[in-house]
């Protein structure tokens, strides 16, 4: 029933209002007021007269230059402009056309601070990609929360687009696993300087199966520039030739697919292939490694893994640490950290 505002640097309370109503006229000591509100609702939202009064007050007192908002049946976003924070989200491909402004004049510099962008909608739209490229000049990371609709064949694939995200260093692709669906040309083909990729294993394997020689060459060029790779839902049974695509990376994270079946093994069969294929690896992390139920088998598994590591690295030159993984309730899992 209360809304509380904090001073961003000192973390001290500067205002508390009851019933989620915030009357900015009471904040007489403010010199700058920057905000971003994301609202989740099942009803169609509208800007109430009290909000309009607050907006007018903020702009008239020069606490912010402008205020923008987007309202829909599911998500509402209200924010001060120029946007003051380095993270933002887009929920609709028509985002840039749906924004409403309190002051009609819009500035090209409104989005200059954004470095990390999360996209929840279908990204296979050339006009949206072009606007993202132009509107966010400091963008360095995209977190693409792939909806299933993005995996439906499109009339225009990426190879026909003239957009290039030269500044993007990090790309995360989530929620992409959907067996038997069309695999569009991957988004990372539009990046030229990508150094960090976070992606799901099955989707990545589907991408690697693309038969076109032209696309394979482009994919290899992207992978050769990578320094860090995170593979989610990693299935250790699907690793043939997999690591050879990433021979240049230095940092690797494998987040294992939690197995429902019983796996009794005291070795990671892929480890030797991994270490041989990626000779410049300086650190890796394995999460959700399923441990044998027997205590002595767990000890044997750890010993076998560390023995394999010692074949590639001098023991005095690396650190190997094990931690119990409590994120899975029904089974016993472990996390392994390795660094040189």
């Amino acid at each position: 029933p209360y809304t509380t505002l904090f001073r961003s640097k000192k973390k001290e309370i500067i205002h508390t209002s009851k019933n989620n109503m915030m009357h900015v006229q009471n904040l007489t000591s403010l010199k700058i007021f920057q905000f971003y509100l994301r609202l989740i609702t099942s009803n169609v939202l509208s800007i109430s007269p009290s909000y309009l009064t607050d907006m007018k007050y903020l702009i008239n007192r020069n606490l912010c230059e402008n205020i923008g908002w987007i309202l829909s049946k599911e998500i509402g976003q209200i924010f001060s402009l120029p946007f003051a924070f380095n993270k933002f989200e887009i929920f609709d491909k028509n985002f840039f056309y749906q924004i409403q402004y309190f002051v009609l004049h819009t500035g090209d510099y409104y989005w200059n601070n954004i470095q990390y962008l999360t996209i929840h909608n279908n990204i296979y739209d050339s006009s949206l990609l072009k606007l993202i490229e132009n509107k966010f000049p400091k963008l360095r990371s995209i977190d693409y929360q792939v909806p299933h609709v993005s995996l439906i064949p499109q009339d225009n694939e990426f190879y026909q687009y003239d957009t290039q995200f030269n500044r993007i260093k990090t790309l995360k692709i989530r929620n992409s696993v959907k067996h038997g669906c069309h695999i569009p040309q991957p988004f990372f083909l539009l990046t030229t300087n990508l150094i960090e990729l976070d992606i799901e294993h099955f989707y990545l394997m589907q991408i690697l199966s693309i038969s076109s020689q032209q696309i394979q060459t482009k994919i290899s060029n992207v992978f050769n520039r990578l320094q860090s790779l995170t593979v989610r839902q990693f299935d250790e049974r699907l690793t043939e030739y997999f690591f050879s695509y990433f021979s240049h990376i230095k940092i690797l994270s494998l987040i294992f697919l939690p197995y429902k079946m019983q796996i009794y093994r005291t070795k990671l069969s892929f480890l030797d292939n991994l270490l041989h294929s990626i000779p410049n690896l300086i650190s890796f992390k394995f999460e959700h490694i399923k441990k044998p139920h027997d205590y002595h088998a767990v000890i044997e598994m750890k010993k076998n893994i560390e023995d394999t590591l010692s074949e590639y690295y001098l023991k005095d030159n690396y650190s190997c640490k094990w931690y119990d993984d409590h994120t899975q309730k029904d089974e016993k899992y472990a996390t392994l950290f390795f660094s040189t």
Side-chain angles (χ1 to χ4, degrees):
Y2 290 88
T3 298
T4 301
L5 300 180
F6 295 86
R7 197 182 305 274
S8 60
K9 292 185 178 180
K10 296 183 179 180
K11 302 293 184 182
E12 59 180 305
I13 296 175
I14 60 174
H15 176 72
T16 299
S17 60
K18 193 174 182 180
N19 298 323
N20 289 327
M21 295 298 294
M22 178 185 67
H23 300 291
V24 294
Q25 294 92 331
N26 297 331
L27 308 177
T28 55
S29 63
L30 279 182
K31 294 183 179 180
I32 298 176
F33 187 61
Q34 300 164 333
F35 62 93
Y36 169 46
L37 304 177
R38 180 181 127 174
L39 311 172
I40 300 177
T41 179
S42 58
N43 301 315
V44 177
L45 292 173
S46 62
I47 296 295
S48 66
S50 62
Y51 268 122
L52 291 174
T53 301
D54 285 344
M55 290 181 186
K56 184 176 181 180
Y57 176 82
L58 290 171
I59 294 173
N60 288 345
R61 275 201 56 200
N62 295 319
L63 297 177
C64 63
E65 181 178 325
N66 202 347
I67 295 173
W69 67 89
I70 294 180
L71 304 176
S72 68
K73 292 182 178 180
E74 297 179 354
I75 297 292
Q77 294 168 280
I78 306 174
F79 37 83
S80 60
L81 294 169
F83 196 77
F85 313 101
N86 62 8
K87 295 180 181 180
F88 194 64
E89 299 170 284
I90 290 180
F91 293 89
D92 191 285
K93 71 176 184 179
N94 296 315
F95 168 81
F96 293 102
Y97 304 107
Q98 294 176 342
I99 302 177
Q100 300 182 65
Y101 299 93
F102 191 85
V103 178
L104 292 180
H105 173 73
T106 61
D108 292 334
Y109 53 89
Y110 279 173
W111 309 102
N112 284 1
N113 288 328
I114 294 176
Q115 299 181 41
Y116 307 95
L117 180 66
T118 300
I119 302 175
H120 299 272
N121 57 279
N122 188 351
I123 203 170
Y124 286 75
D125 184 275
S126 57
S127 60
L128 172 63
L129 293 173
K130 198 67 178 178
L131 285 167
I132 290 175
E133 179 191 16
N134 294 333
K135 295 288 187 180
F136 303 143
K138 294 183 180 179
L139 188 63
R140 56 176 295 180
S141 174
I142 290 181
D143 186 345
Y144 183 26
Q145 302 283 339
V146 185
H148 293 328
V149 68
S150 295
L151 301 180
I152 297 174
Q154 304 294 315
D155 292 333
N156 294 313
E157 296 278 3
F158 279 156
Y159 65 84
Q160 297 175 331
Y161 294 174
D162 58 358
T163 304
Q164 284 292 323
F165 290 95
N166 300 323
R167 296 179 296 271
I168 297 298
K169 303 295 184 183
T170 302
L171 176 63
K172 301 176 182 180
I173 302 177
R174 307 289 179 87
N175 306 317
S176 59
V177 177
K178 189 180 182 184
H179 295 253
C181 61
H182 169 77
I183 298 300
Q185 298 199 37
F187 180 65
F188 54 71
L189 290 183
L190 296 184
T191 64
T192 56
N193 295 299
L194 192 69
I195 61 174
E196 182 179 355
L197 178 63
D198 184 331
I199 193 169
E200 289 167 339
H201 189 191
F202 187 77
Y203 180 55
L204 185 54
M205 293 293 288
Q206 289 178 303
I207 290 172
L208 294 175
S209 69
I210 295 176
S211 59
S212 166
Q213 183 61 45
Q214 179 185 8
I215 299 302
Q216 284 283 0
T217 301
K218 290 182 178 180
I219 290 174
S220 296
N221 290 337
V222 173
F223 288 167
N224 288 339
R225 291 190 295 268
L226 289 177
Q227 296 182 23
S228 175
L229 173 68
T230 296
V231 180
R232 297 178 182 276
Q233 301 292 308
F234 177 71
D235 188 339
E236 60 188 274
R237 299 166 297 181
L238 303 174
T239 57
E240 186 177 6
Y241 305 115
F242 178 77
F243 298 112
S244 62
Y245 286 96
F246 308 101
S247 59
H248 293 79
I249 67 169
K250 297 181 178 180
I251 301 171
L252 175 66
S253 178
L254 301 179
I255 303 174
F256 283 58
L257 179 69
Y259 289 108
K260 300 301 181 183
M261 67 184 78
Q262 298 292 330
I263 294 183
Y264 295 99
R265 53 100 164 88
T266 57
K267 293 183 178 181
L268 297 181
S269 59
F270 65 88
L271 184 57
D272 189 75
N273 179 25
L274 184 159
L275 297 173
H276 178 76
S277 301
I278 312 177
N280 299 317
L281 199 63
I282 61 174
S283 72
F284 66 71
K285 178 174 67 172
F286 297 163
E287 292 187 44
H288 305 340
I289 300 175
K290 188 170 184 180
K291 299 188 297 184
H293 291 288
D294 181 72
Y295 172 78
H296 297 287
V298 173
I299 299 299
E300 182 182 355
M301 181 184 72
K302 292 181 178 180
K303 182 181 183 301
N304 288 334
I305 291 174
E306 294 180 23
D307 286 346
T308 302
L309 291 173
S310 66
E311 295 177 10
Y312 292 85
Y313 299 90
L314 295 175
K315 287 191 175 182
D316 292 337
N317 292 345
Y318 71 85
S319 171
C320 183
K321 297 182 179 179
W322 290 86
Y323 299 91
D324 287 332
D325 183 349
H326 299 292
T327 61
Q328 307 296 319
K329 295 181 179 180
D330 299 329
E331 301 290 347
K332 294 182 178 180
Y333 291 81
T335 294
L336 169 63
F337 288 95
F338 167 87
S339 63
T340 59

